[in-house]
Amino acid sequence: MADRIASLGATNAVVDSDCLLVGPSRRGTSEHALARQAWWGSFVDPIGGDRKMGRVVVWVSSTNLRERVGLWRVCGRLREYRIPRKDIAIVELDPPFRGPDTRESAVPTWCSASELGTLPARLSDARPWPRERYWRAVRLWSQYTAADPRRLAQNCARGIEGFPELAPLWALLSSFFPRRTTEGTLRLSRFDELLMTALSSEWQTPLAVASRDLRSGMDLWRTLSCTGDLFLPRRLEHWADHDASAAVERAPGPKPPDAGYPMLSEVYRLTERGMRLRDEGLTRLTDAPSLPIAGTEAYSASAPWVLLEDGRLARP
């Protein structure tokens, strides 16, 4: 692979494995790196601080949500580094065929990995994007990292030519925002409600929670197929650490925390307060732990966004 990209004028191959669909994202390089480090505990920027890259070849799935948002970030970063558009060649790889998808959710079909086996043959197709499409990607990264997510939500609903990932992206992101009914009741986000439904008064590891959901209909698992399964123990930690009267309790699991098995290192159970929040709704947004989403936060007093029943975001 190094030889193939070298023939196109690129000298190094790097892998960007960070999933920007969860946790904070920031428009600026240093701010983004600091935010991602705080979220994951460690973070290595695959692009780094090298502003003298020469020719850049980017290969990315044509449908994978994580890779599509990552491509927006790459375009925004290379624009920040003043790399000319004509020196950025992009290859969009097709996902592997898995047969017809009969599931109702629009999200999972956008979470399969690209077919890397076709990459060597496709490198000859690497071309710079047209100017307008490239600038649209740069603007989408700016909107994705904005503190006010409404512009992004509007573009996702309206659609932008050349970016079919927008509708399924919003189907995913909107599932993390608390909801407000037409009667004014505040409800948990769809994701947290699924999580609280998979939990019970019995102690369970995150792996058991995911397995129970998988057996019951795969609703929670569909989201985790996009975010990665480590998002599940992270969100359970948020709930267990939130408030003195926690909605979720935590205890040591079958594997020690330093053994490298986060899905088995702790067990969780739902308290009576958690059941009330799930069944009756929230009194205030801060009844639930905040969750960074792109450039904003869910359940935050400083960013009180709620999802209305018509799919729009609004202030409560």
Side-chain angles (χ1 to χ4, degrees), residues 7 41 68 71 74 82 100 124 141 202 222 230 261 280 287:
S7 68
R68 301 307 297 180
L71 179 59
V74 168
R82 300 185 183 275
S124 59
W141 178 242
E202 303 295 326
R222 292 180 187 184
L230 293 185
Y261 298 94
E280 301 174 12
D287 285 341

Side-chain angles (χ1 to χ4, degrees), residues 188 192 195-196 234-243 246-248 273 277 282 287-289 299:
L188 292 170
D192 281 332
L195 181 58
M196 296 292 195
R234 175 62 57 86
R235 190 57 181 161
L236 286 170
E237 290 173 3
H238 293 170
W239 275 104
D241 292 337
H242 185 66
D243 282 352
V248 174
R273 181 169 185 264
L277 292 178
L282 310 170
D287 285 341
Y299 301 108

Side-chain angles (χ1 to χ4, degrees), residues 72 75 129 132-141 163:
W72 303 353
C75 291
W129 264 1
E132 183 56 32
R133 191 179 186 196
Y134 175 76
W135 279 107
R136 285 172 180 168
V138 173
R139 289 193 293 269
L140 283 171
W141 178 242
F163 295 89

